Amino acid sequence: MGYLRPISLGALLAVGHAPFNLWFLSFSAICLCFLDIVKQRKRSDIALYVMLLGMGYFILTLNWIAEPFFVDFRSHAWIAPFAIFFISVTMAFFWCAFSYIFAPFGARWALLLGIATAEYFRSFVLTGFPWGTIASLFVNSPLGQLLAIFGPFGLGLFVFALVMYLIFLVETKKFSSAVGGIFVLSLLFLWGFQRQNHEVFFTDKTILLVQPNAPQSEKWDENLAPVFFNRMIEKTEQANDVNLIVWPESAIYKPLNYANELLDAINEASSGVPVVFGALRYDESGNLRNSLVLNKSSDKQLVYDKSRLVPFGEYLPFAGFLGNLGLNSMVNSFGSSFTKGHGADLIEVEPDLYFQPLICYEAIFPSILRATANRADLIIQITNDAWFGRFSGPYQHLEILKMRAIETGIPVARSANTGISAVISANGKIIDSLPLETQGSLELAIPQALKPTFYFTWGDSIFFMMILSLITMRLIVKRYY
């Protein structure tokens, strides 16, 4: 087996992600993978093929992982290529392992069921890392609207199953059935296109998003940090009659416990309008937390602590071993790991406006948005995408928020330190945004939420039912035909 071919097909599959957004080439790559993998007869060869496919896919998809290591270039740049390679191999190994499990079903079934189940499990094993899922390749296409039905894991499985079915019909010369399959696919495209372009309705609530544009290498500089803070103060003072003002992650440059002077400035600038901002804080036990604060007045604050922490960025896995290698300095500017919060929450701005907070990395986990007793009117993400560079990371992060909107039927507002700040409608349409690496503000009416989607109601049980149905179908066919 030639190694270059599956690696190249994996890279072609990845071009559906931002900033390329060539989802139709990803669809073509899936077709080519199903046509190519049948050449592999042995179980080990099938697994190796999928492993190489995954390496090509993840190396291109996750290239932004190198960026944080370049912030402190002299200390950490040497780690960048090892980080990309190690993480890509780890993610590809999930594909490989599950394809090996399903290989007795046949090469194509191993590809279908192996990648689908791997995509689910890599989202939960250890801390989980569901970035760059197969479903996210199609978020900008009409097929992306199927996230509202199947969710992120079910959509990836559906697309792979659809391709395999169409190839089977063509190869067996069942052209009448193939025409029927293409007709169904066309109907799905039409439905998705209609939903994608559906008119967006707005509430009578308005929001102001503030983007200070503080480069990561300068963000914590004691001379420059007040400059970035004052940029946000100025934009807040210039706000019109809004219901909510949102600043990005870690917006204030002192821990919340020692930031009374900064809080006074925020209260004065906002003139009583509630302000959401990110801050580091020490809890009652002295633990460091990455928090979102809703500042309603000088004496009323609501605090949400980030519950999904970034490995190496906010806590150090295998701290004893890696700390001896001098990697403690990578965790954060305070040199110690964060403590995670209690989990998903809803925050009340007004009696008829509740939002669900997400801090940066938490947005990649779809389950967190279904973990509250009640449904939010708005999802608010605060983030510092300065870590992600300027090529693919910030754009992919924005695409993930579009997925969360489509899956839940809930609009999203995100304030990003260096961009891209945006308001996203409940069907995944960007209403307006601030470009990467610019300072400014965005004042918009909040879009209306849609009715709870099928996925929001049933969650990943849809995915499990699809997997079980396909496995049962394959076992029946293998036994009787």
Side-chain angles (χ1 to χ4, degrees):
M1 176 181 65
Y3 293 171
L4 185 60
R5 185 176 180 86
I7 292 174
S8 300
L9 282 176
L12 181 63
L13 178 63
V15 299
H17 292 303
F20 308 108
N21 296 316
L22 302 173
W23 61 268
F24 49 90
L25 290 183
S26 295
F27 193 87
S28 300
I30 294 172
C31 296
L32 292 172
C33 289
F34 275 110
L35 292 171
D36 196 43
I37 199 170
V38 291
K39 300 173 185 176
Q40 314 308 319
R41 302 297 182 186
K42 296 181 180 178
R43 190 175 186 178
S44 57
D45 288 344
I46 293 170
L48 178 59
Y49 181 96
V50 177
M51 178 76 181
L52 295 171
L53 182 73
M55 287 178 62
Y57 176 78
F58 287 110
I59 286 174
L60 183 58
T61 299
L62 303 178
N63 66 83
W64 57 268
I65 283 176
E67 298 288 349
F69 299 96
F70 295 141
V71 173
D72 185 355
F73 188 87
R74 288 191 296 178
S75 298
H76 300 135
W78 63 273
I79 306 174
F82 299 100
I84 293 177
F85 182 77
F86 173 76
I87 292 175
S88 298
V89 167
T90 301
M91 296 297 101
F93 180 75
F94 278 93
W95 286 19
C96 170
F98 282 94
S99 295
Y100 185 82
I101 291 171
F102 289 107
F105 284 31
R108 287 178 176 170
W109 286 88
L111 182 68
L112 168 66
L113 297 173
I115 291 181
T117 51
E119 287 290 273
Y120 179 81
F121 279 98
R122 77 175 174 95
S123 302
F124 297 97
V125 174
L126 298 177
T127 59
F129 187 58
W131 190 297
T133 58
I134 295 297
S136 60
L137 294 167
F138 302 99
V139 66
N140 291 310
S141 76
L143 286 176
Q145 296 299 312
L146 293 173
L147 286 163
I149 300 174
F150 298 122
F153 308 114
L155 177 57
L157 175 61
F158 175 79
V159 172
F160 267 63
L162 179 65
V163 170
M164 190 174 79
Y165 178 65
L166 290 175
I167 289 175
F168 166 76
L169 293 177
V170 172
E171 287 182 339
T172 54
K173 299 182 179 180
K174 296 181 178 180
F175 296 114
S176 58
S177 297
V179 171
I182 293 171
F183 177 72
V184 171
L185 179 60
S186 300
L187 288 180
L188 290 173
F189 261 86
L190 287 173
W191 176 84
F193 182 80
Q194 184 273 336
R195 192 178 192 275
Q196 191 178 41
N197 294 281
H198 193 273
E199 182 181 358
V200 177
F201 297 97
F202 295 88
T203 67
D204 59 357
K205 310 292 184 184
T206 54
I207 191 169
L208 178 78
L209 306 179
V210 181
Q211 184 171 297
N213 191 30
Q216 192 59 38
S217 58
E218 301 175 0
K219 180 174 173 58
W220 300 106
D221 186 290
E222 60 181 11
N223 297 315
L224 294 174
V227 174
F228 304 131
F229 179 80
N230 288 333
R231 288 179 183 175
M232 292 182 283
I233 289 292
E234 290 173 6
K235 294 300 180 182
T236 300
E237 290 174 336
Q238 295 167 8
N240 295 311
D241 186 17
V242 298
N243 298 89
L244 184 63
I245 299 168
V246 184
W247 292 11
E249 181 184 15
S250 303
I252 63 174
Y253 56 91
K254 293 181 181 180
L256 186 64
N257 317 68
Y258 310 107
N260 289 339
E261 182 181 348
L262 303 182
L263 296 178
D264 289 341
I266 292 172
N267 287 324
E268 182 179 352
S270 64
S271 301
V273 176
V275 180
V276 170
F277 62 88
L280 306 183
R281 72 180 188 94
Y282 292 99
D283 63 18
E284 297 79 3
S285 302
N287 299 312
L288 185 62
R289 295 181 183 266
N290 186 358
S291 304
L292 175 148
V293 180
L294 173 62
N295 196 72
K296 286 193 169 184
S297 63
S298 59
D299 60 348
K300 189 171 184 182
Q301 293 178 345
L302 299 174
V303 177
Y304 166 79
D305 297 318
K306 187 174 184 180
S307 60
R308 295 276 193 164
L309 302 178
V310 182
F312 300 100
E314 293 175 320
Y315 80 96
L316 192 66
F318 314 109
F321 172 71
L322 295 178
N324 292 331
L325 298 179
L327 297 183
N328 277 329
S329 61
M330 291 183 60
V331 175
N332 57 61
S333 58
F334 290 78
S336 62
S337 294
F338 288 107
T339 298
K340 67 179 182 179
H342 59 74
D345 203 355
L346 287 184
I347 296 180
E348 179 187 2
V349 180
E350 300 174 3
D352 57 349
L353 179 57
Y354 282 79
F355 73 87
Q356 184 163 355
L358 297 174
I359 302 177
C360 193
Y361 181 72
E362 290 181 318
I364 72 175
F365 299 96
S367 59
I368 198 171
L369 295 175
R370 300 182 57 258
T372 56
N374 297 307
R375 188 167 181 254
D377 303 297
L378 177 68
I379 298 165
I380 290 182
Q381 187 211 32
I382 60 172
T383 185
N384 178 24
D385 284 5
W387 285 109
F388 297 169
R390 63 187 70 175
F391 176 62
S392 62
Y395 298 99
Q396 290 182 12
H397 203 187
L398 179 64
E399 301 303 309
I400 289 169
L401 268 296
K402 292 171 70 173
M403 292 178 67
R404 301 294 88 93
I406 298 169
E407 292 160 7
T408 60
I410 301 174
V412 175
R414 75 187 307 253
S415 177
N417 173 34
T418 56
I420 305 163
S421 300
V423 172
I424 304 169
S425 68
N427 62 345
K429 181 187 296 184
I430 294 179
I431 304 301
D432 204 353
S433 63
L434 291 169
L436 192 64
E437 296 186 329
T438 60
Q439 59 175 293
S441 61
L442 197 62
E443 190 172 317
L444 288 171
I446 298 174
Q448 289 182 5
L450 300 175
K451 292 180 180 180
T453 63
F454 193 74
Y455 174 73
F456 185 85
T457 303
W458 294 98
D460 292 327
S461 59
I462 300 164
F463 169 74
F464 295 129
M465 291 175 63
M466 294 171 69
I467 283 285
L468 289 174
S469 298
L470 286 168
I471 290 174
T472 302
M473 183 189 307
R474 178 54 179 160
L475 290 175
I476 292 173
V477 169
K478 193 172 184 180
R479 180 177 179 84
Y480 293 106
Y481 296 97

